[in-house]
Amino acid sequence: MSAREAVAAVTGSFTEHRPAARPAPPDGPLGWSGYAESRARASARTGEEESVLYGTAVVGDRECVLVSFEFGFLGGSLGGHTGDRLEAAYALARERRLPLVSLIATGGSRMQEGMIALIQLQRVARASALLRAAGLPQIAVVRDPTTGGGWATLGAGADVVLALPGAQIGFAGSRVRPPDADPYAYTAEGQWAAGQVDAVVPPDELPRTLGRWLSVLTVTGPAAAAPVPEALSDAELPATGWDAVEQARSPARPRAGAYLDAYFAYRLPLHGDRCGGTDPGMLCGMGMRDGRPVAYAAQCGTATRPAGYRTAARVIRLAGRLGIPVLTLVDTPGAANDAEAEREGAGAAIAEVFAAVAAAGVPVTTLVIGEGGSGGALALAAPGNTHVTADSYFSVIAPELAAAILKRGPEEVRATAGQLRLRPQDLVDLGVARSVVGHAGPR
């Protein structure tokens, strides 16, 4: 796809902008012999003056600044004039308070401009940071190929990263990576598996997906607290602590996916921790509830991995920056405690979530829907705005582990559960939870 074909694939409304012309030597800052002729051939072949174009557009029903790369123009490479256009696009987004969407296809920095080309990445990074500080979102659509500095700035640096199926994606382009490198690692699907891409989106679904993302990321007015979800089961309050544990551990109990499906008109995933890790036991993203966006981080009943906590922290920080309220669903026996989890930084990852919730700057609402096991569960719980279902519990630690720490035998586990006062009604009495939620909402 050419740059303009990529634009036409997502919108029929595009108004191109151009920065003020800046004179440059014909053969570029390095006086590279034949560079002027190469540019002229690229322009004749593509009809473009540079490797990127930008302007304003309407995608779905939301206005944005749209950037599109022309790979046919010297491999979509970044040179000095490319930097001018990218910087101008970010400035336009700040000036008009619009989100920025990048349709990327690039091989990286332009060899014929040497270090002058490379330092354009600093210009892009600075412009991106200013847009982020202004509270405006950035979405990248990664086309084929996207490598080098274009991936490491506009692509991987975006708040939401969408990729087209089969696209080549990676910091190392095909001509510079090791000859024995696994090719899958450099694909859209491989980058998704590694938590670097939020979704792989077929071309025919891209306009709708982009429109939805722009809707949930574009906030008007102050952030009101996310409504507390209704309980999805008709469980009664447990008589004993052990009854509470058994209800929370029941395989028939509703899980996070069911709660999220019931809560949102639609939801969009934010996938991976951007550090090479994913956790299928932590669902994160943003969705639309009664016409308003809500971010979510939801545990799925498994021991949460460090990547899950880092993904949750990423989402909560993004929501705080954009003014979007947060819903968290707590359901875990605790943080993963195997040796691999320790090597992956379990403590630091949990600390990230505690800090993200504490510094959110937007209302955070929590519902405990199953097991609330120790600090691995508490990290996602909103101080002063945590609610519980009748088939949940919250405890300083699981009763079996508490008994082991206290040097009690297995026969004392049930009694220990009672002593921990972990039942939903106990949590309300202790002031840990605000309410026990039923089908009709909090009570």
Side-chain angles (χ1 to χ4, degrees), residues 181-333:
D182 177 10
Y184 179 71
Y186 303 87
T187 63
E189 292 76 10
Q191 295 284 10
W192 179 86
Q196 310 292 357
V197 164
D198 291 305
V200 178
V201 183
D204 60 343
E205 296 179 16
L206 187 58
R208 180 170 176 263
T209 301
L210 265 181
R212 284 186 162 185
W213 267 117
L214 288 169
S215 293
V216 300
L217 295 176
T218 307
V219 182
T220 56
V228 182
E230 293 184 4
L232 297 184
S233 74
D234 55 2
E236 298 293 331
L237 288 173
T240 69
W242 189 247
D243 289 340
V245 173
E246 288 191 318
Q247 283 195 164
R249 293 177 178 173
S250 168
R253 173 180 56 77
R255 304 285 163 157
Y259 273 92
L260 295 174
D261 288 343
Y263 190 82
F264 288 110
Y266 64 83
R267 56 190 173 97
L268 303 163
L270 287 166
H271 174 77
D273 65 358
R274 297 296 186 266
C275 299
T278 63
D279 180 1
M282 179 76 81
L283 300 178
C284 293
M286 298 199 180
M288 198 66 78
R289 159 86 179 192
D290 295 333
R292 298 287 294 176
V294 176
Y296 64 87
Q299 293 168 315
C300 298
T302 57
T304 304
R305 309 293 307 176
Y309 290 115
R310 283 191 289 264
T311 305
R314 172 193 161 212
V315 172
I316 294 166
R317 287 193 296 262
L318 176 61
R321 177 162 61 81
L322 299 181
I324 298 171
V326 177
L327 170 70
T328 63
L329 300 179
V330 170
D331 184 10
T332 181

Side-chain angles (χ1 to χ4, degrees), residues 226 228-229 326-330 357 364-368 377 380-383 385-388 394 437:
V228 182
V326 177
L327 170 70
T328 63
L329 300 179
V330 170
V357 171
V364 180
T365 302
T366 299
L367 180 63
V368 185
L380 266 73
N385 197 22
T386 291
H387 305 260
V388 291
F394 216 147
V437 174

